[in-house]
Amino acid sequence: MYNQFKSVSLSHRNAPLAIREQLALNEAEAKGIMLRLKDFFDISDVLAVSTCNRTEIYYSAANDLNEDIIKLLLIEKGVEDVEGFKAYFEQFAEGNAAVQHLFHVATGLQSQVVGDMQIPNQIKHAYQWSADLNMAGPFLHRLLHTIFFANKRVAQETFFRDGAASVSYAAVELLEGLMPNPKILVVGLGEIGTDVCRNLSQNTDAEVTLVNRTRSKAEALGAELGFRVADFADIESEISRADIIVSSIQREEPFFTKEMMVRLRGMSFKYFIDLSVPRSVSPEVEEVPGVMLYTIDSIRSKVDEALQRRLDSVPHVEEIINEAVVEFNDWSREMIVSPTIQKLKGALEQIRKEELTRFTKNLTESELEKVERITTSMMQKILKLPVLQLKAACKRGEAETLIDVLNDLFNLEKETEKH
């Protein structure tokens, strides 16, 4: 099963946002893709992972189905230029590479923001979808739980998850500390503004209003995240009702000025968080009583410190992953000999029962109980050495030879068919 594990990956490493957003999957789409894969191919252990930065399919199959799966995914998402899009995908057709890749993705080593704290939860959601559809077998169950345990060690033993390492996440962390239950106005829904909104949806219960020059974009994001939407023409009234204004407007001159704030006098205390380059909030707004401004430079300094701590932790994270992979590899190899162990146990147990039936007809119940215990103990001791030798052979990569010997010695294949 280990060598049959494979995956295809579309991520920020090889594909621009315009490509990634066309192939993003919500829960219903991810489950639909998995069901289609099950209908079309002889596969198991299917996992569909989709975040704002990646769309990936993991699966187990005897044959390399990567090209076919990419094609099916593109067709399902309505992409006509199938050949053109294929080049954006990474393909992992060898088990160890696919397992290593999933470990690196799930721990945040391959995130656009290294150490991304959201990725473990996104992997758990994908795992739940697979379990809901009964498409997670013993291999995937063990792999994911090994990954979750490694993630727990990363959080406890390193600084890899400390601090906010992206501007958008740091901005959300900042505004959450400004006041309880604020009214937040997000102006401008470019990449940073959209990221702020997505982080807000997961990390705060505040009332959020979206304003964008193109209202349709605000409406689409508002519908997705459950946020209120207002017209750009009503910006001044929205400023008046908001406690915190997050601005990521792209323009050459500041949009929020001292004059605007003076014109809106009588308003309550305001915080501005300016994420724009060039700045969209004039520094002079702080001359107006009750207005405070946080710039992208102050936020970036915190981000840079957090990011450096995370980068310094990468070698330790890699060690944790390598230890987890070794443990998982040992389990996977033992899975190869598990059927043989079960056959051997079954064959010996059958012999034990047959002999007991022949020679214990005249025994009392207490005598029969003693004989049962004695013979069961003997069988377990007889089995102990072959089982230990099989597991040791797994680690040496010599299990197949020993499996063949045991099959011949005990005629396991015929015994299995017989019973």
Side-chain angles (χ1 to χ4, degrees), residues 95-230:
N96 187 60
V99 166
Q100 286 274 358
H101 180 71
L102 182 52
F103 264 97
H104 282 79
V105 169
T107 50
L109 279 173
Q110 293 211 353
S111 298
Q112 196 166 32
V113 178
V114 66
D116 184 356
M117 290 183 287
Q118 296 178 34
I119 192 67
N121 286 331
Q122 291 163 333
I123 297 295
K124 286 179 181 177
H125 289 321
Y127 177 38
Q128 185 62 56
W129 301 341
S130 181
D132 288 345
L133 299 174
N134 294 317
M135 298 184 76
F139 178 89
L140 191 62
H141 284 303
R142 182 66 179 237
L143 175 57
L144 267 297
H145 283 284
T146 304
I147 287 173
F148 297 151
F149 182 72
N151 254 322
K152 187 176 181 180
R153 286 190 59 194
V154 168
Q156 293 175 340
E157 299 174 23
T158 76
F159 296 106
F160 195 58
R161 299 265 160 70
D162 286 10
S166 74
V167 169
S168 58
Y169 202 92
V172 172
E173 225 177 46
L174 168 63
L175 64 83
E176 285 182 334
L178 294 178
M179 63 171 64
N181 303 317
K183 291 184 175 66
I184 300 170
L185 175 65
V186 181
V187 185
L189 298 176
E191 189 167 351
I192 290 180
T194 299
D195 283 348
V196 167
C197 291
R198 294 194 188 284
N199 287 322
L200 278 171
S201 70
Q202 299 182 36
N203 294 280
T204 184
D205 294 325
E207 179 188 324
V208 180
T209 300
L210 310 182
V211 169
N212 194 63
R213 286 193 183 276
T214 306
R215 183 182 169 99
S216 59
K217 187 171 185 179
E219 287 177 338
L221 189 61
E224 177 188 339
L225 304 178
F227 292 162
R228 177 175 172 268
V229 175

Side-chain angles (χ1 to χ4, degrees), residues 45-66:
D45 295 301
V46 184
L47 188 75
V49 176
S50 188
T51 73
C52 56
N53 288 321
R54 66 179 65 248
T55 296
E56 299 183 329
I57 305 291
Y58 297 85
Y59 66 98
S60 291
N63 300 318
D64 181 358
L65 303 171
N66 283 347

